[in-house]
Amino acid sequence: MFQPNMFESHHHHHLLDMSNKSPENELDMLRDDDYESKSGTDIMEAPSGDDQDPNQLPNKKKRYHRHTQHQIQELESFFKECPHPDDKQRKELGRRLSLEPLQVKFWFQNKRTQMKAQHERCENTQLRNDNEKLRMENIRYKEALTNATCPNCGGPAAIGEMSFDEQHLRIENARLREEIDRISGIAAKYVGKPLLTYPNLSHNGPQRSLDLPIASFSSQPAMVDDMFGTSGLMRSVSGPSEADKPVIIELAVAAMEELVRMAQSGEPLWVQNPDNSSEMLNEEDYAQTFPRGIGPKQLGLLSEASRESAVVIMNHVNLVEILMDVGQWSNVFSGIVSRAMTLEVLSTGVAGNYNGALQVMTAEYQVPSPLVPTREYYFVRYCKQHVDGMWAVVDVSLDSLRPTMMSRSRRRPSGCLIQELPNGYSKVTWVEHVEIDDRSVHDIYRLLVNSGLGFGARRWVATLERQCERLASAMANNIPAGDVGVITTLDGRKSMLKLSERMVLSFCSGVGASTTHTWTTLSGSGADDVRVMTRKSVDDPGRPPGIVLSAATSFWIPVPPKQVFDFLRDENSRSEWDILSNGGLVQEMAHIANGRDPGNCVSLLRVNSANSSQGNMLILQESSNDPTGSYVIYAPVDIAAMNVVLGGGDPDYVALLPSGFAILPDGAGKHQGGSILEVGNGGSLLTVAFQILVDSVPTAKLSLGSVATVNSLIKCTVERIKAAVAPENP
């Protein structure tokens, strides 16, 4: 895909051999200045062996040749692109400029020698200047030490009384103070100006695009706000006061320092788990290393800390933009971020990028199940470019600024480091460090949450890897035309992916235990209770009008997640669980691969109904899989509307009601073969969620019969899935 520089292998070059020239030779008499002025433009032409007169005196001057201005310009231009041409390139260049290949070779050798000499002179000048600065600084330090006084007695201070640690701390403190002053100056520009608030910026709000050929992470009109309302946290928290801003800036700077050290440190700060499967934070060493920050751990909160690294197929510029734009960030991490909002932008950055950007935000994180409470955070996000080209984005909670609100979750400095790699790749190191009250997590999800697969760094990184692959696949233009069902037109692929993205966002926003909506339990008292909620859809072109009934249930099955995922995504086994297909034959009409895993794809399915009185139905489906979880999400679509989409038309007006499955591992344990007897040994946590239009009139009242029908539908689907994938465990 990516080709290395074809000229990188030419690292060894032969200098022009001048050893046979006599002292009387003209070049030996030139000064350095004259040599430099001619080495790139003039050349001595040595006669070939056939033309040379054997009786010619050895000290006779050779013929001197000066290149034309056109030849010089062409050679200079080629040198900028390739200073080390190979034989083929020299011959082609000589042919084009009416020069012998040997003349071209000598010209390039001389030009390289000239450039090297110039570079060495510049380096020498710079070193002399640096040396002079160091000498003057040394003199100042000696004078300061001579006049130093003891802070205790006021007398002369003896050199060596200050410990090395104290000197280091003083230097560190001075550097941090400079950074705080710099950011304070940036923030001061915005004091007294209208606040940059975004009251409706959720993951369905407007955003800046990535400016790439296909904006896979584009946002949609804000429909979720109308359907779900606004959470308690987002209603109650406003932007910071003027008095709070200096505190926020100082906290952000300290958090950035902590994040970098947390990401780059090894033992004793991070130690291996006994099974060597992951790292865990040494709490005692952490408390000693970072005494500052947001204060001690609150009573009743548990600490969760994790770290994960990966190489992703996206350049650092786009990664930083995704993290700093709340719309793109929420879209990319839609499985984790159920809602997000920027309350105020304190700084947009400097030099036209996000370096120094600072913004106060709220966000709600989720696991795709009604059985796991969401985590709400009020925090500042700070982005900084470091001297080695590395970027870092850090979050830290601002709970101390709202003492009247009792928080069940706090973010200690968390975020990621992004290191640029060749060919558009980036290395990402992610750190998640939070304190939470997890007492409301259901027992079957407790091992998942405690392992870090629910909210930890591994889940963030796995999601980012999968989404980067999705975007890279969407941008591909070398699609093989011979495969059946592959959509090869760029506009058709773009429209279908955009429609599928909206379907996934809608599903993820309504499957968790978000505070924006309330689930009602229908029956029973176990984990697999069916929970329902109703929503009204009015004047939304992307959703059918009327009353929508959502139903969801979560349960554990003793089957590995990959096996469950493959069963649910396969169109050939769909009739075994999909009651609405009425046992009809399901065929894949079109698909778009969007990742290395063959399970990561967007498909268009056709259900050929066994009942001839019913027309055929189309289903849009997206399946995605990574080590921390899998999704199979689908929605019935209108045939005429899909023809428009496949032709490159606007997908925003296609009405969707997504349903589907979220498949999570039941903990960090791996399936070792044989029967899975209990939670945590490699089984699956499966959430089934349906959305059904029960009345096309938005003002109608919900009937108990509709609720009973949906309840029966979801329970029957669950029983069919259990019977198909785990028949020995009904």
Side-chain angles (χ1 to χ4, degrees):
M1 182 176 177
F2 303 102
Q3 294 195 4
N5 190 324
M6 63 184 294
F7 307 121
E8 283 182 356
S9 60
H10 302 281
H11 292 304
H12 305 288
H13 316 288
H14 301 287
L15 293 175
L16 180 60
D17 187 3
M18 306 292 287
S19 59
N20 294 328
K21 300 193 184 303
S22 65
E24 291 80 15
N25 191 297
E26 278 186 356
L27 290 182
D28 291 333
M29 302 300 292
L30 292 173
R31 298 200 317 268
D32 287 344
D33 294 16
D34 295 332
Y35 170 69
E36 286 176 14
S37 66
K38 291 185 172 66
S39 60
T41 59
D42 306 330
I43 192 167
M44 298 293 296
E45 286 191 353
S48 66
D50 296 335
D51 300 331
Q52 188 172 359
D53 185 357
N55 298 322
Q56 181 181 0
L57 293 177
N59 62 347
K60 186 174 181 179
K61 294 181 181 179
K62 293 180 175 62
R63 182 162 51 90
Y64 188 79
H65 173 75
R66 179 181 292 274
H67 296 320
T68 67
Q69 190 64 29
H70 171 69
Q71 291 172 332
I72 294 171
Q73 289 176 350
E74 290 293 319
L75 291 168
E76 292 278 3
S77 176
F78 196 91
F79 184 85
K80 292 178 181 178
E81 299 294 331
C82 176
H84 301 286
D86 55 22
D87 290 339
K88 183 178 179 181
Q89 292 170 312
R90 288 197 297 267
K91 289 179 180 178
E92 173 61 23
L93 199 56
R95 184 192 62 77
R96 204 168 73 226
L97 301 178
S98 302
L99 294 174
E100 293 295 328
L102 192 60
Q103 290 178 290
V104 176
K105 178 180 179 181
F106 286 168
W107 187 92
F108 274 88
Q109 287 177 347
N110 292 340
K111 183 66 176 178
R112 289 194 296 268
T113 304
Q114 173 191 353
M115 298 302 293
K116 182 179 179 182
Q118 289 179 350
H119 181 67
E120 288 177 350
R121 273 203 300 276
C122 291
E123 280 190 342
N124 290 338
T125 302
Q126 182 64 36
L127 289 173
R128 280 196 296 269
N129 293 337
D130 292 345
N131 189 44
E132 182 63 22
K133 290 179 181 178
L134 289 173
R135 190 178 69 83
M136 297 302 296
E137 192 170 350
N138 191 31
I139 293 173
R140 288 198 303 272
Y141 283 149
K142 286 182 179 179
E143 292 176 352
L145 288 173
T146 304
N147 300 325
T149 59
C150 176
N152 294 325
C153 65
I159 296 177
E161 284 184 357
M162 185 183 296
S163 67
F164 175 79
D165 289 339
E166 188 176 351
Q167 293 181 40
H168 179 75
L169 288 174
R170 288 177 182 270
I171 295 172
E172 184 81 356
N173 187 55
R175 188 176 63 81
L176 289 175
R177 179 56 56 188
E178 287 179 0
E179 186 169 356
I180 291 172
D181 292 341
R182 181 177 63 83
I183 299 179
S184 297
I186 296 172
K189 297 178 182 179
Y190 301 92
V191 176
K193 295 183 179 181
L195 298 182
L196 295 174
T197 55
Y198 303 92
N200 292 319
L201 267 184
S202 67
H203 62 274
N204 287 314
Q207 61 167 29
R208 289 184 294 180
S209 68
L210 282 177
D211 197 23
L212 295 172
I214 295 183
S216 177
F217 300 139
S218 61
S219 59
Q220 306 298 333
M223 66 187 71
V224 177
D225 289 340
D226 298 332
M227 300 294 289
F228 293 111
T230 306
S231 72
L233 173 66
M234 297 184 183
R235 281 196 305 264
S236 59
V237 178
S238 58
S241 66
E242 298 301 324
D244 288 336
K245 291 179 182 178
V247 178
I248 292 174
I249 292 169
E250 188 163 356
L251 190 61
V253 172
M256 178 63 71
E257 292 293 319
E258 180 173 325
L259 173 70
V260 172
R261 294 177 66 181
M262 287 276 285
Q264 297 177 341
S265 298
E267 293 186 355
L269 185 62
W270 293 94
V271 294
Q272 287 290 326
N273 275 327
D275 58 358
N276 289 325
S277 62
S278 60
E279 296 175 307
M280 61 181 183
L281 184 66
N282 183 335
E283 295 285 349
E284 183 177 346
D285 191 77
Y286 171 81
Q288 295 175 354
T289 307
F290 306 106
R292 304 191 301 157
I294 61 176
K297 183 167 62 177
Q298 292 182 0
L299 192 64
L301 299 184
L302 297 178
S303 178
E304 289 181 4
S306 56
R307 181 172 66 171
E308 189 77 15
S309 295
V311 174
V312 299
I313 182 169
M314 182 175 287
N315 67 59
H316 64 290
V317 176
N318 288 336
L319 282 174
V320 169
E321 181 167 347
I322 286 173
L323 294 172
M324 296 306 296
D325 184 287
V326 68
Q328 294 186 49
W329 174 64
S330 301
N331 284 0
V332 171
F333 297 102
S334 59
I336 306 174
V337 182
S338 56
R339 289 182 63 80
M341 183 187 302
T342 300
L343 297 175
E344 183 173 353
V345 177
L346 299 181
S347 170
T348 57
V350 294
N353 58 37
Y354 284 102
N355 184 25
L358 199 68
Q359 54 196 39
V360 178
M361 305 172 63
T362 61
E364 183 183 56
Y365 299 162
Q366 69 171 357
V367 166
S369 169
L371 300 183
V372 183
T374 57
R375 300 178 176 183
E376 296 182 359
Y377 297 102
Y378 171 53
F379 59 94
V380 60
R381 176 165 292 180
Y382 174 39
C383 177
K384 179 183 177 183
Q385 183 181 17
H386 293 262
V387 290
D388 55 357
M390 176 185 70
W391 286 81
V393 178
V394 65
D395 298 344
V396 62
S397 282
L398 300 176
D399 298 85
S400 59
L401 303 183
R402 47 169 192 158
T404 57
M405 297 189 64
M406 189 64 183
S407 176
R408 295 192 306 111
S409 50
R410 293 201 307 171
R411 282 179 75 73
R412 287 192 176 272
S414 304
C416 66
L417 270 58
I418 303 169
Q419 186 68 54
E420 181 184 8
L421 297 178
N423 298 328
Y425 285 77
S426 300
K427 180 183 178 182
V428 175
T429 302
W430 203 290
V431 174
E432 278 293 305
H433 190 190
V434 300
E435 294 170 354
I436 52 96
D437 178 2
D438 67 345
R439 288 174 293 183
S440 299
V441 176
H442 196 281
D443 288 342
I444 65 171
Y445 279 88
R446 192 168 295 278
L447 285 175
L448 170 79
V449 173
N450 292 344
S451 69
L453 295 178
F455 295 97
R458 188 178 178 193
R459 187 179 176 209
W460 287 93
V461 170
T463 301
L464 180 62
E465 282 187 284
R466 176 167 48 81
Q467 293 284 39
C468 288
E469 282 189 10
R470 188 185 197 277
L471 181 59
S473 300
M475 293 170 58
N477 51 19
N478 54 343
I479 308 300
D483 295 349
V484 178
V486 175
I487 301 174
T488 57
T489 64
L490 187 62
D491 289 340
R493 288 169 59 85
K494 179 179 178 180
S495 294
M496 186 166 168
L497 284 172
K498 188 177 180 183
L499 179 62
S500 181
E501 179 188 348
R502 175 159 64 87
M503 176 180 70
V504 172
L505 291 175
S506 178
F507 176 85
C508 291
S509 66
V511 74
S514 174
T515 56
T516 59
H517 50 258
T518 303
W519 291 100
T520 301
T521 304
L522 289 184
S523 61
S525 58
D528 58 350
D529 300 339
V530 175
R531 291 164 170 80
V532 297
M533 62 179 168
T534 59
R535 291 173 279 179
K536 292 183 180 180
S537 175
V538 182
D539 297 330
D540 184 354
R543 191 182 297 267
I547 296 179
V548 176
L549 182 63
S550 297
T553 185
S554 297
F555 57 95
W556 176 79
I557 49 176
V559 181
K562 185 66 166 63
Q563 183 178 335
V564 179
F565 172 69
D566 289 339
F567 170 76
L568 293 174
R569 76 176 180 87
D570 187 358
E571 70 273 12
N572 296 317
S573 59
R574 189 179 188 97
S575 60
E576 297 183 45
W577 60 264
D578 189 359
I579 299 172
L580 298 180
S581 65
N582 295 320
L585 177 65
V586 180
Q587 294 177 304
E588 184 181 68
M589 303 299 297
H591 74 269
I592 302 174
N594 58 7
R596 290 174 294 182
D597 191 311
N600 291 345
C601 67
V602 177
S603 305
L604 186 62
L605 309 177
R606 182 175 65 187
V607 180
N608 299 312
S609 177
N611 188 346
S612 58
S613 63
Q614 295 180 348
N616 293 339
M617 177 174 60
L618 290 183
I619 295 175
L620 178 67
Q621 175 178 293
E622 175 158 352
S623 57
S624 59
N625 177 49
D626 66 55
T628 65
S630 308
Y631 293 88
V632 178
I633 303 170
Y634 63 92
V637 289
D638 181 70
I639 296 178
M642 280 310 301
N643 284 331
V644 173
V645 170
L646 294 177
D650 187 358
D652 290 345
Y653 296 95
V654 178
L656 291 176
L657 276 181
S659 300
F661 308 93
I663 310 145
L664 304 179
D666 61 0
K670 302 293 183 182
H671 184 220
Q672 303 298 331
S675 299
I676 300 174
L677 302 178
E678 60 183 7
V679 175
N681 288 343
S684 301
L685 297 169
L686 179 60
T687 296
V688 183
F690 289 162
Q691 290 190 88
I692 297 176
L693 184 69
V694 294
D695 200 310
S696 58
V697 180
T699 57
K701 292 184 178 180
L702 183 66
S703 67
L704 292 178
S706 299
V707 176
T709 300
V710 173
N711 184 32
S712 175
L713 175 65
I714 198 169
K715 280 186 172 294
C716 187
T717 302
V718 169
E719 293 304 320
R720 286 192 175 195
I721 293 172
K722 288 181 177 180
V725 299
E728 69 280 2
N729 293 277

